[in-house]
Amino acid sequence: MTKPLTVLVIGTGGREHALALAISKDPAVEAVHVAPGNPGTAGFATNHPVEATDGEAVAALAAELDADLVVVGPEAPLVAGVADAVREAGIACFGPGREAARLEGSKAFAKEVMAAAGVPTAAARVCTTQEEIEAALDEFGPTYVVKDDGLAAGKGVVVTDDRAEALEHALACEQVVIEEFLDGPEVSLFAITDGTTSRPMQPAQDFKRVGDGDTGPNTGGMGAYTPLPWAPADIVDQVDATVIQPTLAEMRRRGTPFSGLLYAGLALTSKGLRVVEFNARFGDPETQALLARLDTPLGQLLHAAATGTLAETPPLAWGQGAAVVVVMAANGYPAAAEVGGAIELAPDTDRAHTIQAGTTLFEDGTLAADGGRVLGIVGTGADLVEAREAAYAQVAATDFASGFNRTDIALLASQNKINTTEK
C-alpha cells in the first residue's frame, strides 16, 4: 500500500471507539474520522455530527474527507443500506450491503440461508400468529428460545422455562422465530471477508445476562474475553469450513455477496457445533477484547476486505496472552438506564484501557453517562487470571457512582471451570 489511508468509522458506541482506536495505530493510516463518534473517539480522531443511518450524508462526508475507506460499525446503518450508498459514491466500504445485511436484520432469512448452505443450526419455526406461536412452543417445549425476527439491539431474545413469559414476548413481536434450546457453552467467532476469502478471528465469549452467575434479563453484553482455553483446538478451522465458507458461497449464489464482518454466534452442544445466530458486524463487547490482542494492522486489513484483495493478505497475527473486557453500565440497565451520572476515568496503563460507549460531555467538561452500557474496561495479561486482575483493578479505579458491573467476567474460564452455566 503506497498512499496513506484516511479512514471514516461510522457509529457512536464502544465497538466504534475500539475499531477507530485500533485503526489509528496502523502505520499505514494517516487520519481517522468518526461519525458521529463519542467523547472517547474525540481524543485521537475527528468526530463529525452525521447521522449514522443516513447513507447519503455518510457518503457525502466520506467524499468531503477524501476517505479511502469507510467502516460501518453498527447493525442499523448496515440494514439501512449505508454501505450501498458509500460504494455507489465510489468509496471502499467495510460492511455488507442492505440485502446481505439481512443475515442479521432477519433471523428468518438467516435460517433460510443456513438451511440452503447446510450450516448446522437449531431447528426453528417462523411464526406470525398466536396459533403458530403456541404450536411451536408446544413442539419444542422448555427451555423456550424466542427471538424477535428483526433488529432488537441484542435484547430481542428471551430464553426461559416460563411458558407464559415466552408467549408474552412472542406476541409482542410482529414476526418471531422459536427454536429448540441448544445446550453447551456459547462462542463468538468473527470472520473478516471480502465475499470470497475469509480471515477468521480467534474465538471469544461474551456474557449476555445482566447479573453475576448469568442471572437477570438479556443485555447487549456485559463483558467478554479471549482466547478460550477450553474450546476445541481446531474450532477456528472447523467454523470456517462448516459455517463461514458455506454461508459466503450461498450468499454469492443468491447474487448478494457478503463483504464485511460475518459474526457467527455458536453453541458447542452435546451433538456438535451449532449456529445460534449470525450478525453482520463486529460484536460488542467481544471486539474490545479481540482488538486488544490483534497484531495485524487493522486499517490495512479492513481496506483489503473492502477492495476484494483479502487473499493477498497473510493470516491474522495475534499477540500472546489474554484480554478481558468488563462493561460498566448505568444503574437500571437494561430497562430504564440512569443517564447523567458523572464519571471520572482511571488513567490508561500498559495493561488496561477504557473504551467509551454511552458517554457525553457536559459544557463544564464533566464526562457523564448517556446510555445503558457506558464504559468497556479492557485488561490484558499473560493469561485470563492476569487479564481479569488488570481489568477489575481499572474498574475499581474508575469513579462512576451511578454505574454497576458484573464481577464474574471470565471467572470460571480463568479457574478452568467452564461449563454450560458460563455464557
Side-chain angles (χ1 to χ4, degrees):
M1 188 168 297
T2 53
K3 177 183 179 295
L5 294 174
T6 295
V7 182
L8 170 61
V9 178
I10 304 303
T12 188
R15 164 185 42 233
E16 290 74 44
H17 184 170
L19 285 167
L21 182 63
I23 289 168
S24 73
K25 295 176 180 178
D26 186 330
V29 172
E30 182 176 53
V32 179
H33 300 263
V34 190
N38 64 38
T41 59
F44 60 89
T46 305
N47 286 352
H48 300 268
V50 168
E51 177 59 47
T53 54
D54 187 336
E56 288 187 10
V58 169
L61 174 62
E64 177 187 332
L65 297 172
D66 194 23
D68 302 287
L69 173 66
V70 174
V71 178
V72 183
E75 58 272 28
L78 292 169
V79 172
V82 168
D84 298 307
V86 171
R87 292 191 185 99
E88 287 167 7
I91 299 166
C93 186
F94 182 83
R98 184 199 311 266
E99 285 301 309
R102 289 179 66 206
L103 277 178
E104 176 166 6
S106 169
K107 292 177 176 61
F109 175 75
K111 285 291 188 183
E112 178 188 314
V113 170
M114 283 187 263
V119 170
T121 187
R125 301 290 177 264
V126 180
C127 308
T128 56
T129 68
Q130 181 166 346
E131 183 180 9
E132 292 173 343
I133 290 167
E134 296 213 35
L137 292 175
D138 291 340
E139 176 185 358
F140 293 125
T143 300
Y144 303 103
V145 181
V146 184
K147 299 181 176 182
D148 190 335
D149 181 55
L151 294 180
K155 296 181 283 291
V157 179
V158 166
V159 181
T160 181
D161 288 327
D162 185 333
R163 192 179 188 282
E165 181 186 2
L167 179 60
E168 180 183 16
H169 179 67
L171 291 175
C173 303
E174 185 175 340
Q175 180 166 277
V176 67
V177 176
I178 297 174
E179 297 184 356
E180 67 172 330
F181 176 74
L182 296 175
D183 62 343
E186 292 188 11
V187 175
S188 301
L189 199 139
F190 306 166
I192 294 164
T193 178
D194 59 9
T196 301
T197 300
S198 61
R199 290 284 182 265
M201 304 183 81
Q202 290 193 340
Q205 187 178 55
D206 75 336
F207 293 71
K208 288 295 188 190
R209 301 283 187 170
V210 72
D212 282 4
D214 203 30
T215 57
N218 271 346
T219 70
M222 293 300 295
Y225 67 96
T226 187
L228 310 184
W230 48 269
D234 66 344
I235 187 171
V236 174
D237 291 339
Q238 183 184 351
V239 173
D240 192 44
T242 64
V243 176
I244 303 299
Q245 287 297 332
T247 300
L248 295 179
E250 174 61 18
M251 294 300 285
R252 291 195 304 272
R253 189 190 69 78
R254 290 168 177 254
T256 54
F258 186 100
S259 170
L261 194 289
L262 183 58
Y263 168 134
L266 310 163
L268 304 187
T269 79
S270 56
K271 298 177 182 177
L273 182 148
R274 297 288 186 274
V275 175
V276 176
E277 65 176 354
F278 281 137
N279 289 333
R281 37 72 194 180
F282 280 97
D284 186 353
E286 301 100 311
T287 297
Q288 289 90 303
L290 284 164
L291 294 184
R293 298 191 55 249
L294 181 67
D295 283 347
T296 298
L298 187 64
Q300 297 171 65
L301 179 66
L302 301 187
H303 187 263
T307 56
T309 59
L310 198 58
E312 300 170 19
T313 66
L316 301 186
W318 297 93
Q320 297 296 310
V324 172
V325 56
V326 178
V327 169
M328 300 188 76
N331 287 341
Y333 177 76
E338 180 183 330
V339 300
I343 303 165
E344 188 169 332
L345 300 178
D348 289 348
T349 70
D350 60 349
R351 289 191 54 201
H353 63 275
T354 299
I355 296 294
Q356 295 187 39
T359 60
T360 189
L361 272 179
F362 290 152
E363 289 186 6
D364 64 0
T366 300
L367 186 68
D370 190 35
R373 294 185 299 163
V374 180
L375 304 172
I377 310 297
V378 184
T380 58
D383 54 26
L384 286 174
V385 172
E386 288 190 7
R388 287 190 81 249
E389 289 173 352
Y392 279 107
Q394 191 83 340
V395 167
T398 301
D399 186 354
F400 180 22
S402 63
F404 73 97
N405 58 271
R406 282 183 60 159
T407 65
D408 62 348
I409 303 300
L411 178 60
L412 294 180
S414 73
Q415 298 172 336
N416 295 316
K417 295 178 181 177
I418 190 70
N419 57 39
T420 57
T421 64
E422 174 162 314
K423 290 171 47 182

